[in-house]
Amino acid sequence: MAEGDTVERVPTGINGFDQVAIGGLPAGRPTLVTGTTGSGKTIFAGEFLARGITKNDQPGVFVTFEEPPEAIRRNFASLGFPIEQWEAEGKWAFVDAAESKDEEAAVIGAFDFGALTSRIADAVRRIGASRVVLDSLGAVFARFTDSGIVRRESYRLASALNSLGVTSVITAERNTEYDGVSRYRVEEFVVDNVIVLRNVLTGERRRRTVEIVKFRGAPHRTGEWLFTIDSREGFVVIPLAFLGMPSAPASSTRVSSGNSGLDRMCGGGFYRDAVVLLSGPSGSGKTLTSLKFLETGVAAGERCLGFTFDETREQMRRNAAGWGIDLEGMEEAGRLQVVCDYPEVASLEDYFIRIRRAVADFEPQRLVIDTLSALERIATPRALLDLVIALGAVVREHRVTTLFTSAPMSRFTPAQTPSIARELASLTDVTIALRYFQTAGMIKRTVAIVQNRGSAHDEAVRQITIDAGGMHIGAPVGTLDDMEAVGLDAPPWPGVIGDDI
């Protein structure tokens, strides 16, 4: 129970939701979960029962008004929930309220809620249930033309559930994503707790969110929270599902970046558990640095994982070969996994689940995401920031040295263009900036360590060159006035950071 919270909570066990609810659903009360078609209502409700069984040994009753029990058993089997086994063990019971639907539909308003509550009460007593789900009331209320009847019957149902002493979830349909809480606009007034699930089409992409509209007398987090539905893990709220993960002690071991000059600038390399942000415009050396980082890890006997969203596999292998890096050989040796994809192929949440699962299954010591900027094409800045926060929690738990690359907002880019690099600097351990400048009629590159938490580092802005042998870091460059005079991409070094980082 949260400090100052006098309402007893029942943890749902749903990944990340209990952090939004600050402990779970208020105990002994019905909670209305509303959403449009495909928003995840049945998944949420079913998981509420399933997690109660697996995590708290609390039996549950599932009252279905639409889908037959056979369909629900089949659908949840894909999430690893053995409902048939739980039924045999007396931990899960169905009440099929749709059995006599055809008969009841003959007389509008003739649905017998008294008989229904008796069947629910019987099932609760029979298995000793403490959780109940009703999915979905819309199938019943669609038969009533009078909203007054809907309100009255909703009150009766909520009162019956309260008298049973169970914590319940009632699902209901919404007409639109942001117009009213429920279809009949009365259901939310007869319960103390309301949760809204949304499945919004934004920029030709679907984005699912969960919002607690009210928990009467109980504190909760406000606003919409991104979630996804995973085939293995079910309902997952991002990033809250991962912020409470146990973290290993901070490492004092250094690992090489793959560039001896960059290692010296960073005080001897990166810490083993560091999250590194490498920011730079196209062609400044981000991908080369990433490839050398992976190659060095493989040479040290480490498993390495790379995700690239800017190049095809063939392009990446060709470019790596140009610098003498044998990606194919490292993959065949089992030390490297590289995933090449275009952001538009999947949703942001899908990519997060894929990356997290690859970290758990492959157990890499190094991870590269190249580049986060490409993901801005399919996500809002806030959603992308949530993904990076969640990824940061995952890689820190596994002590994976992680390199993110990102493009800054340059003078060639419209000012309104979002840039994840500006938001990430405060979340990473090391921030490295690659930039261009022009002098004597030539375009040259520079590198600077903008921050390196817990470590001394080189404060100089150094010139870099790139040739067939890779990236070479040289002497400090000239004055800032000389570089800014050309106006190509003035470097945001300490003291002149501006909006680029």
Side-chain angles (χ1 to χ4, degrees):
M1 191 179 298
E3 186 176 350
D5 185 358
T6 59
V7 177
E8 183 183 353
R9 304 291 185 124
V10 172
T12 64
I14 295 172
N15 286 319
F17 179 78
D18 290 334
Q19 289 92 316
V20 179
I22 313 182
L25 301 182
R29 301 180 184 175
T31 295
L32 180 68
V33 177
T34 72
T36 56
T37 301
S39 58
K41 301 182 298 297
T42 301
I43 292 288
F44 184 98
E47 270 206 68
F48 171 65
L49 290 193
R51 304 299 182 191
I53 293 170
T54 59
K55 295 186 176 183
N56 301 98
D57 196 28
Q58 296 177 337
V61 173
F62 194 107
V63 184
T64 175
F65 292 93
E66 293 180 296
E67 291 186 287
E70 293 78 13
I72 295 169
R73 293 186 191 102
R74 183 174 59 252
N75 293 340
F76 278 99
S78 64
L79 295 175
F81 298 153
I83 293 179
E84 265 190 288
Q85 176 186 325
W86 291 337
E87 288 179 277
E89 295 171 349
K91 297 178 179 179
W92 180 299
F94 278 107
V95 172
D96 188 353
E99 284 180 342
S100 55
K101 179 174 62 177
D102 293 338
E103 296 175 14
E104 291 156 357
V107 180
I108 298 298
F111 191 90
D112 190 346
F113 277 94
L116 173 63
T117 55
S118 294
R119 293 173 63 194
I120 295 173
D122 178 67
V124 167
R125 286 191 293 268
R126 178 163 45 85
I127 67 170
S130 56
R131 303 187 181 206
V132 172
V133 159
L134 283 75
D135 181 52
S136 147
L137 284 186
V140 176
F141 290 152
R143 305 170 195 175
F144 301 119
T145 58
D146 186 348
S147 62
I149 296 176
V150 173
R151 180 188 289 266
R152 183 177 69 247
E153 298 301 341
S154 297
Y155 269 119
R156 288 180 58 193
L157 202 53
S159 298
L161 292 171
N162 284 334
S163 67
L164 292 174
V166 295
T167 304
S168 54
V169 167
I170 304 170
T171 70
E173 292 284 337
R174 303 180 71 206
N175 293 321
T176 61
E177 301 295 353
Y178 288 100
D179 182 19
V181 170
S182 58
R183 174 170 293 174
Y184 299 98
R185 300 179 184 269
V186 297
E187 300 97 309
E188 62 267 30
F189 297 107
V190 301
V191 294
D192 294 327
N193 314 311
V194 177
I195 298 168
V196 173
L197 305 181
R198 295 187 175 93
N199 187 19
V200 181
L201 183 64
T202 303
E204 301 179 355
R205 290 279 168 178
R206 287 286 175 186
R207 181 173 184 262
R208 286 188 169 104
T209 63
V210 56
E211 178 187 9
I212 297 176
V213 175
K214 69 172 181 177
F215 273 2
R216 189 163 293 158
H220 57 85
R221 299 187 189 277
T222 59
E224 293 183 69
W225 298 87
L226 183 70
F227 77 89
T228 187
I229 297 175
D230 178 57
S231 59
R232 278 202 236 170
E233 300 179 59
F235 201 102
V236 182
V237 180
I238 303 171
L240 293 179
F242 308 96
L243 297 187
M245 299 173 69
S247 57
S251 174
S252 57
T253 302
R254 300 270 188 172
V255 298
S256 174
S257 66
N259 184 299
S260 58
L262 187 58
D263 288 345
R264 287 192 295 271
M265 292 186 72
C266 292
F270 305 144
Y271 285 125
R272 165 68 66 189
D273 54 359
V275 176
V276 182
L277 173 64
L278 178 63
S279 173
S282 297
S284 59
K286 299 188 300 297
T287 299
L288 170 58
T289 303
S290 301
L291 291 171
K292 284 292 186 182
F293 175 72
L294 294 173
E295 181 189 41
T296 299
V298 171
E302 300 174 347
R303 285 185 298 277
C304 299
L305 177 64
F307 281 79
T308 178
F309 299 106
D310 271 345
E311 296 179 310
T312 65
R313 180 175 293 274
E314 291 72 21
Q315 288 174 317
M316 192 173 184
R317 285 178 174 175
R318 179 201 62 196
N319 296 342
W323 289 302
I325 300 172
D326 183 10
L327 282 184
E328 190 171 3
M330 290 188 286
E331 287 185 288
E332 289 176 353
R335 287 289 177 182
L336 175 67
Q337 283 189 3
V338 175
V339 179
C340 302
D341 220 339
Y342 287 107
E344 290 76 11
V345 171
S347 70
L348 188 69
E349 302 94 299
D350 291 335
Y351 280 123
F352 169 75
I353 293 296
R354 288 173 61 183
I355 295 169
R356 176 179 177 246
R357 186 160 295 146
V359 169
D361 294 345
F362 189 57
E363 298 181 339
Q365 282 79 45
R366 298 188 182 214
L367 169 67
V368 164
I369 307 293
D370 181 37
T371 111
L372 290 175
S373 301
L375 295 174
E376 291 179 353
R377 303 202 300 262
I378 64 167
T380 64
R382 176 68 215 188
L384 187 52
L385 190 61
D386 283 348
L387 175 140
V388 175
I389 292 170
L391 272 181
V394 170
V395 297
R396 290 185 195 281
E397 181 202 13
H398 293 276
R399 301 184 78 165
V400 181
T401 315
T402 302
L403 177 62
F404 294 131
T405 72
S406 179
M409 187 184 347
S410 73
R411 296 185 182 184
F412 296 115
T413 307
Q416 66 268 23
T417 300
S419 177
I420 191 66
R422 290 177 295 168
E423 306 291 340
L424 288 186
S426 62
L427 302 175
T428 55
D429 302 300
V430 184
T431 304
I432 304 170
L434 301 174
R435 292 294 184 268
Y436 293 123
F437 74 99
Q438 183 174 347
T439 181
M442 297 180 64
I443 295 177
K444 297 186 177 181
R445 300 176 177 90
T446 62
V447 62
I449 310 302
V450 179
Q451 71 170 356
N452 192 3
R453 299 185 194 277
S455 174
H457 59 276
D458 190 347
E459 296 184 351
V461 179
R462 295 186 176 274
Q463 185 173 330
I464 58 176
T465 58
I466 297 176
D467 57 25
M471 178 185 290
H472 310 282
I473 298 177
V477 297
T479 66
L480 285 171
D481 290 340
D482 290 340
M483 290 182 285
E484 291 178 337
V486 179
L488 267 179
D489 192 13
W493 315 125
V496 283
I497 290 179
D499 287 335
D500 276 353
I501 290 293

